[in-house]
């Protein structure tokens, strides 16, 4: 999950607006080191601070995925799902058909609709198409 997130989020020391118009910093963090929402006036972060933000956000995402899934999944399925949820948010994942299918142990059915989460700011983004494909391949990969 870490490698996928770093690859597709990219690192930015300065705040920027993501395609969904949210202020973001580091590897897609919407909350700064102080726990407050990032805005356009947020100070630049160092690579080390960015890594700290990523670890914090990953832990939160992992906890959310573990809480929302009631059925067993493999480590690769968990990593792919964490990458997805890191990007779309736990609220969107909670309402998603992917989560519902995973909780019914319909693992192939969940993988088959992974592509549905390829929009940002209301439009299909090439980067999200690639990300969802790589996440799906990881999800389907045998341990």
């Amino acid at each position: 999950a870490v490698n996928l997130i770093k690859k597709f989020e990219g690192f930015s020391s300065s705040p920027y607006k993501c395609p969904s118009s949210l202020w973001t910093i580091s590897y897609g963090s919407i909350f700064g080191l102080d726990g407050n929402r990032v805005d356009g006036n947020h100070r630049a972060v160092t690579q080390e601070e960015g890594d700290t933000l990523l670890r914090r956000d990953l832990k939160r995402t992992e906890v959310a995925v573990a809480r929302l899934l009631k059925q067993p999944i493999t480590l690769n399925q968990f990593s792919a799902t964490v990458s997805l949820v890191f990007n779309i948010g736990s609220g969107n994942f909670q309402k998603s058909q992917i989560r519902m299918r995973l909780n019914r142990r319909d693992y192939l059915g969940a993988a088959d609709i992974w592509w549905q989460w390829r929009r940002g700011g209301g439009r299909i983004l090439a980067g999200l198409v690639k990300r969802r494909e790589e996440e799906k391949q990881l999800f389907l990969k045998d341990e």
Side-chain angles (χ1 to χ4, degrees):
V2 173
N3 292 336
L4 277 174
I5 291 167
K6 281 187 166 186
K7 176 181 178 179
F8 286 105
E9 294 289 342
F11 176 78
S12 176
S13 61
S14 300
Y16 64 95
K17 279 196 174 182
C18 74
S20 296
S21 295
L22 297 173
W23 282 105
T24 310
I25 200 161
S26 175
Y27 295 101
S29 293
I30 59 172
F31 294 98
L33 289 165
D34 60 3
N36 293 320
R37 288 296 290 250
V38 172
D39 62 24
N41 297 317
H42 194 284
R43 71 166 178 80
V45 296
T46 65
Q47 181 70 53
E48 186 177 333
E49 290 171 325
D51 289 342
T52 298
L53 288 169
L54 178 59
R55 282 191 301 275
R56 180 203 62 198
D57 293 348
L58 265 173
K59 182 157 182 68
R60 287 180 181 167
T61 304
E62 290 168 348
V63 167
V65 169
R67 179 178 50 82
L68 292 168
L69 292 182
K70 307 302 181 196
Q71 300 300 328
I73 59 174
T74 69
L75 182 57
N76 284 337
Q77 289 170 333
F78 183 77
S79 293
T81 304
V82 165
S83 179
L84 173 74
V85 175
F86 187 92
N87 183 242
I88 71 170
S90 59
N92 284 326
F93 180 66
Q94 183 175 7
K95 298 179 282 189
S96 76
Q97 285 294 314
I98 291 174
R99 184 191 66 85
M100 291 176 199
R101 289 181 185 198
L102 290 174
N103 281 333
R104 289 193 308 259
R105 294 186 180 200
D106 181 8
Y107 304 111
L108 292 177
D112 284 343
I113 61 170
W114 212 267
W115 61 269
Q116 292 178 346
W117 292 94
R118 66 196 193 283
R119 293 183 182 273
R123 54 188 166 75
I124 295 173
L125 301 177
L128 288 180
V129 171
K130 291 176 188 168
R131 181 176 183 159
R132 295 293 100 90
E133 185 56 32
E134 286 194 34
E135 289 167 345
K136 179 182 172 183
Q137 292 310 310
L138 176 61
F139 184 88
L140 294 171
K141 185 177 178 183
D142 291 333
E143 302 290 329

